[in-house]
Amino acid sequence: HILEYLLQHGANANSISPTTNETVLIRAVENNKFILCQCLLKYGAKAACFSKKKLSPLMLACQKADLNLATLI
């Protein structure tokens, strides 16, 4: 995967988007990207971050009723 390659070579798993002001993990959860979330967490993404609406990744996963994602986080 491209994401894993980038993370292995120094990309920041806790990067914040300048346009949304949200972390990559938040965006991945919002878009139901389980594999991306798994990879980000493996490389140190912090689950203690919040969306623009003040929701954590776990709260977002629960809102979506995504048990697999909620369990991962």
Side-chain angles (χ1 to χ4, degrees):
H1 294 111
I2 293 172
L3 177 60
E4 187 159 19
Y5 176 84
L6 292 171
L7 292 167
Q8 286 173 343
H9 291 86
N12 183 355
N14 293 296
S15 292
I16 296 174
S17 168
T19 54
T20 65
N21 204 33
E22 294 177 325
T23 66
V24 180
L25 182 60
I26 289 287
R27 301 297 296 153
V29 172
E30 288 177 339
N31 291 292
N32 299 316
K33 302 296 185 184
F34 181 87
I35 304 267
L36 294 181
C37 291
Q38 191 174 41
C39 187
L40 288 164
L41 290 166
K42 175 181 173 183
Y43 285 92
K46 294 180 180 145
C49 57
F50 296 92
S51 69
K52 291 183 285 188
K53 296 179 181 177
K54 307 293 184 222
L55 298 172
S56 71
L58 179 57
M59 294 163 81
L60 288 167
C62 290
Q63 261 189 351
K64 295 177 171 292
D66 189 330
L67 182 59
N68 292 328
L69 201 48
T71 302
L72 173 68
I73 296 166

